Amino acid sequence: SQQGEEDPQALSIQEGENATMNCSYKTSINNLQWYRQNSGRGLVHLILIRSNEREKHSGRLRVTLDTSKKSSSLLITASRAADTASYFCAVLNQAGTALIFGKGTTLSVSS
Amino acid sequence: DAGVIQSPRHEVTEMGQEVTLRCKPISGHNSLFWYRQTMMRGLELLIYFNNNVPIDDSGMPEDRFSAKMPNASFSTLKIQPSEPRDSAVYFCASSLAQHTEAFFGQGTRLTVV
Protein backbone atom coordinates (compact mmCIF):
# COMPACT_ATOMS: atom_id res chain seq x y z
CA SER A 1 0.00 0.00 0.00
CA GLN A 2 1.05 3.60 -0.51
CA GLN A 3 3.16 5.18 2.17
CA GLY A 4 1.50 8.57 1.78
CA GLU A 5 -2.19 9.21 1.23
CA GLU A 6 -3.70 12.58 0.41
CA ASP A 7 -7.10 13.84 1.44
CA PRO A 8 -9.41 14.96 -0.07
CA GLN A 9 -9.14 13.26 -3.45
CA ALA A 10 -10.63 16.31 -5.15
CA LEU A 11 -11.18 19.92 -4.14
CA SER A 12 -12.98 22.71 -6.00
CA ILE A 13 -12.73 26.31 -4.86
CA GLN A 14 -13.07 29.86 -6.15
CA GLU A 15 -10.16 32.13 -6.88
CA GLY A 16 -9.03 33.96 -3.78
CA GLU A 17 -10.06 31.20 -1.40
CA ASN A 18 -7.60 29.06 0.54
CA ALA A 19 -7.05 25.40 -0.27
CA THR A 20 -5.99 22.85 2.32
CA MET A 21 -4.79 19.36 1.47
CA ASN A 22 -3.80 16.69 3.95
CA CYS A 23 -1.38 13.80 3.82
CA SER A 24 -1.05 10.82 6.13
CA TYR A 25 1.86 8.38 6.16
CA LYS A 26 2.69 5.18 7.97
CA THR A 27 6.29 4.98 9.16
CA SER A 28 8.94 7.26 10.61
CA ILE A 29 10.33 9.80 8.17
CA ASN A 30 13.40 11.90 7.54
CA ASN A 31 11.45 14.47 5.59
CA LEU A 32 8.18 14.89 3.73
CA GLN A 33 7.87 16.56 0.36
CA TRP A 34 5.02 18.08 -1.61
CA TYR A 35 4.84 18.09 -5.40
CA ARG A 36 2.51 19.58 -7.98
CA GLN A 37 1.55 18.06 -11.32
CA ASN A 38 -0.15 20.04 -14.04
CA SER A 39 -2.19 18.07 -16.53
CA GLY A 40 0.03 16.18 -18.96
CA ARG A 41 3.25 17.26 -17.28
CA GLY A 42 5.80 15.86 -14.87
CA LEU A 43 5.79 16.46 -11.14
CA VAL A 44 7.39 19.60 -9.81
CA HIS A 45 8.82 19.87 -6.32
CA LEU A 46 7.13 22.49 -4.14
CA ILE A 47 8.52 22.22 -0.64
CA LEU A 48 10.38 19.88 1.69
CA ILE A 49 9.82 19.80 5.43
CA ARG A 50 12.19 17.92 7.70
CA SER A 51 11.02 15.69 10.53
CA ASN A 52 12.27 18.17 13.16
CA GLU A 53 10.30 21.05 11.63
CA ARG A 54 6.67 21.79 12.42
CA GLU A 55 5.89 24.45 9.85
CA LYS A 56 7.42 25.86 6.72
CA HIS A 57 6.45 28.66 4.36
CA SER A 58 7.22 29.33 0.73
CA GLY A 59 5.37 32.22 -0.89
CA ARG A 60 1.66 31.37 -0.74
CA LEU A 61 2.39 27.85 0.46
CA ARG A 62 2.34 26.78 4.08
CA VAL A 63 3.19 23.25 5.11
CA THR A 64 2.76 21.76 8.55
CA LEU A 65 4.03 18.46 9.88
CA ASP A 66 2.82 16.51 12.89
CA THR A 67 5.05 13.49 13.36
CA SER A 68 3.04 12.28 16.34
CA LYS A 69 -0.01 11.96 14.12
CA LYS A 70 2.03 11.03 11.05
CA SER A 71 0.32 13.73 9.05
CA SER A 72 1.08 16.84 7.05
CA SER A 73 -1.00 19.57 5.49
CA LEU A 74 -0.43 21.88 2.55
CA LEU A 75 -2.21 25.22 2.57
CA ILE A 76 -2.35 27.38 -0.54
CA THR A 77 -3.52 30.87 0.32
CA ALA A 78 -5.32 33.28 -2.04
CA SER A 79 -5.60 30.62 -4.73
CA ARG A 80 -5.41 31.42 -8.41
CA ALA A 81 -6.69 29.63 -11.49
CA ALA A 82 -3.07 28.73 -12.25
CA ASP A 83 -2.96 26.66 -9.04
CA THR A 84 -5.27 24.14 -10.71
CA ALA A 85 -3.27 20.90 -10.62
CA SER A 86 -2.82 17.67 -8.71
CA TYR A 87 -0.83 17.81 -5.49
CA PHE A 88 1.11 14.89 -4.05
CA CYS A 89 2.95 14.23 -0.85
CA ALA A 90 6.00 11.98 -0.88
CA VAL A 91 8.08 10.17 1.71
CA LEU A 92 10.80 7.56 1.51
CA ASN A 93 9.67 3.97 1.13
CA GLN A 94 10.27 1.51 3.94
CA ALA A 95 13.54 0.37 2.35
CA GLY A 96 14.73 3.97 2.44
CA THR A 97 15.65 3.79 -1.23
CA ALA A 98 13.24 6.09 -3.03
CA LEU A 99 10.35 8.50 -2.71
CA ILE A 100 6.89 7.06 -2.95
CA PHE A 101 3.82 9.13 -3.64
CA GLY A 102 0.19 9.11 -2.68
CA LYS A 103 -2.57 9.26 -5.27
CA GLY A 104 -2.83 13.00 -4.93
CA THR A 105 -5.43 15.70 -4.44
CA THR A 106 -6.85 17.23 -7.59
CA LEU A 107 -7.40 20.94 -7.02
CA SER A 108 -9.62 22.96 -9.31
CA VAL A 109 -9.66 26.73 -8.91
CA SER A 110 -12.31 28.56 -10.86
CA SER A 111 -12.28 32.27 -11.66
CA ASP B 1 20.68 22.49 -17.33
CA ALA B 2 17.66 21.49 -19.42
CA GLY B 3 16.27 19.26 -16.70
CA VAL B 4 15.47 15.59 -17.02
CA ILE B 5 14.86 14.70 -20.64
CA GLN B 6 12.72 11.79 -21.70
CA SER B 7 12.03 10.41 -25.14
CA PRO B 8 9.78 9.76 -26.84
CA ARG B 9 6.98 11.90 -25.41
CA HIS B 10 4.35 9.61 -26.91
CA GLU B 11 4.58 6.02 -28.06
CA VAL B 12 1.85 3.92 -29.63
CA THR B 13 2.72 0.32 -30.28
CA GLU B 14 1.05 -2.98 -30.96
CA MET B 15 0.81 -5.72 -28.39
CA GLY B 16 3.85 -7.97 -28.51
CA GLN B 17 6.24 -5.31 -29.74
CA GLU B 18 9.33 -4.18 -27.89
CA VAL B 19 9.26 -0.68 -26.42
CA THR B 20 12.26 1.31 -25.24
CA LEU B 21 11.93 4.47 -23.20
CA ARG B 22 14.89 6.76 -22.73
CA CYS B 23 15.99 9.18 -20.05
CA LYS B 24 18.78 11.69 -19.61
CA PRO B 25 19.08 12.76 -15.96
CA ILE B 26 20.35 16.08 -14.70
CA SER B 27 24.13 16.23 -14.77
CA GLY B 28 25.64 15.55 -11.35
CA HIS B 29 22.63 13.72 -9.95
CA ASN B 30 23.54 10.35 -8.44
CA SER B 31 20.06 8.91 -8.13
CA LEU B 32 17.72 7.97 -10.96
CA PHE B 33 14.19 6.63 -10.69
CA TRP B 34 11.63 5.21 -13.08
CA TYR B 35 7.96 5.62 -12.14
CA ARG B 36 4.74 4.57 -13.82
CA GLN B 37 1.51 6.54 -13.44
CA THR B 38 -2.00 5.26 -14.08
CA MET B 39 -5.39 6.44 -12.92
CA MET B 40 -6.01 3.21 -11.06
CA ARG B 41 -2.69 2.76 -9.28
CA GLY B 42 -1.33 6.28 -9.12
CA LEU B 43 2.43 6.80 -9.26
CA GLU B 44 4.36 3.57 -8.77
CA LEU B 45 8.11 3.29 -8.29
CA LEU B 46 9.55 0.77 -10.75
CA ILE B 47 13.30 0.92 -10.18
CA TYR B 48 15.95 3.04 -8.49
CA PHE B 49 19.58 3.46 -9.59
CA ASN B 50 22.34 4.94 -7.48
CA ASN B 51 25.61 5.81 -9.23
CA ASN B 52 24.40 3.81 -12.26
CA VAL B 53 23.82 0.65 -10.21
CA PRO B 54 20.28 -0.76 -9.79
CA ILE B 55 19.59 -0.71 -6.05
CA ASP B 56 15.90 -1.48 -5.81
CA ASP B 57 13.96 -3.11 -8.65
CA SER B 58 11.22 -4.57 -6.49
CA GLY B 59 8.66 -2.42 -8.28
CA MET B 60 9.35 -3.86 -11.71
CA PRO B 61 6.10 -5.68 -12.47
CA GLU B 62 7.38 -8.64 -14.44
CA ASP B 63 10.31 -10.07 -16.31
CA ARG B 64 9.01 -8.31 -19.40
CA PHE B 65 10.36 -5.10 -17.88
CA SER B 66 14.06 -4.33 -17.74
CA ALA B 67 16.07 -1.18 -17.07
CA LYS B 68 19.66 -0.23 -17.63
CA MET B 69 21.90 2.68 -16.83
CA PRO B 70 25.11 2.23 -18.84
CA ASN B 71 26.49 5.60 -17.74
CA ALA B 72 25.64 8.58 -15.57
CA SER B 73 23.86 10.43 -18.36
CA PHE B 74 21.58 7.79 -19.83
CA SER B 75 19.03 5.20 -18.78
CA THR B 76 16.54 3.01 -20.61
CA LEU B 77 13.40 1.18 -19.62
CA LYS B 78 12.48 -1.65 -21.94
CA ILE B 79 9.27 -3.64 -22.17
CA GLN B 80 9.40 -6.83 -24.21
CA PRO B 81 6.85 -8.00 -25.18
CA SER B 82 4.46 -5.14 -24.49
CA GLU B 83 0.85 -5.71 -23.41
CA PRO B 84 -2.20 -3.39 -23.33
CA ARG B 85 -2.07 -3.27 -19.52
CA ASP B 86 1.34 -1.61 -19.80
CA SER B 87 -0.37 1.50 -21.14
CA ALA B 88 0.53 4.34 -18.77
CA VAL B 89 2.68 7.43 -18.42
CA TYR B 90 6.26 6.53 -17.54
CA PHE B 91 8.34 9.10 -15.69
CA CYS B 92 12.03 9.30 -15.13
CA ALA B 93 13.31 11.39 -12.23
CA SER B 94 16.73 12.22 -10.86
CA SER B 95 18.05 13.66 -7.62
CA LEU B 96 21.28 14.30 -5.76
CA ALA B 97 20.30 11.58 -3.28
CA GLN B 98 17.29 9.34 -2.78
CA HIS B 99 15.76 11.46 -0.02
CA THR B 100 16.28 14.88 -1.59
CA GLU B 101 14.20 16.83 -4.09
CA ALA B 102 13.42 14.78 -7.19
CA PHE B 103 13.33 16.37 -10.63
CA PHE B 104 10.93 14.76 -13.05
CA GLY B 105 10.97 14.55 -16.80
CA GLN B 106 7.86 15.30 -18.84
CA GLY B 107 7.05 11.62 -19.13
CA THR B 108 6.40 9.18 -21.95
CA ARG B 109 2.78 8.34 -22.62
CA LEU B 110 2.72 4.72 -23.76
CA THR B 111 -0.29 3.21 -25.44
CA VAL B 112 -0.23 -0.48 -26.30
CA VAL B 113 -3.03 -1.53 -28.64
Side-chain angles (χ1 to χ4, degrees), chain B residues 28-105:
Chain B
H29 282 188
N30 299 322
S31 297
L32 183 138
F33 312 88
W34 283 98
Y35 290 90
R36 177 172 69 176
Q37 186 176 40
T38 61
M39 289 293 292
M40 288 294 295
R41 301 176 67 88
L43 203 62
E44 301 173 278
L45 174 68
L46 298 177
I47 188 168
Y48 157 58
F49 289 88
N50 182 254
N51 291 324
N52 314 337
V53 176
I55 302 299
D56 183 355
D57 66 353
S58 58
M60 297 286 263
E62 323 174 10
D63 291 345
R64 298 185 296 107
F65 286 69
S66 62
K68 294 182 180 180
M69 193 165 185
N71 57 62
S73 60
F74 185 64
S75 177
T76 60
L77 177 68
K78 184 180 293 186
I79 308 173
Q80 164 65 12
S82 58
E83 296 182 3
R85 59 194 169 118
D86 302 330
S87 297
V89 181
Y90 291 80
F91 287 103
C92 174
S94 70
S95 66
L96 287 172
Q98 68 268 34
H99 62 279
T100 60
E101 175 185 355
F103 293 79
F104 281 74

Side-chain angles (χ1 to χ4, degrees), chain A residues 35 37 41 97 99 103, chain B residues 35 37 40 56 98 102 106:
Chain A
Y35 288 76
Q37 183 181 32
R41 309 297 292 271
T97 54
L99 290 175
K103 290 193 175 180
Chain B
Y35 290 90
Q37 186 176 40
M40 288 294 295
D56 183 355
Q98 68 268 34
Q106 298 285 32

Side-chain angles (χ1 to χ4, degrees), chain A residues 23-110:
Chain A
C23 169
S24 59
Y25 57 92
K26 296 181 179 178
T27 62
S28 60
I29 60 170
N30 179 271
N31 65 58
L32 184 143
Q33 303 181 34
W34 285 90
Y35 288 76
R36 182 181 77 190
Q37 183 181 32
N38 289 85
S39 180
R41 309 297 292 271
L43 279 74
V44 174
H45 181 266
L46 293 176
I47 196 165
L48 180 154
I49 185 165
R50 302 184 196 286
S51 58
N52 62 354
E53 297 176 307
R54 292 294 168 260
E55 188 171 310
K56 197 164 183 178
H57 296 256
S58 177
R60 294 183 297 112
L61 305 181
R62 173 181 168 242
V63 170
T64 63
L65 179 64
D66 187 335
T67 53
S68 67
K69 295 181 179 178
K70 291 185 168 54
S71 67
S72 174
S73 67
L74 170 67
L75 168 67
I76 304 174
T77 60
S79 63
R80 306 166 181 168
D83 295 328
T84 295
S86 292
Y87 292 82
F88 298 85
C89 66
V91 296
L92 276 182
N93 58 7
Q94 289 188 343
T97 54
L99 290 175
I100 56 173
F101 295 79
K103 290 193 175 180
T105 292
T106 299
L107 174 66
S108 178
V109 182
S110 53

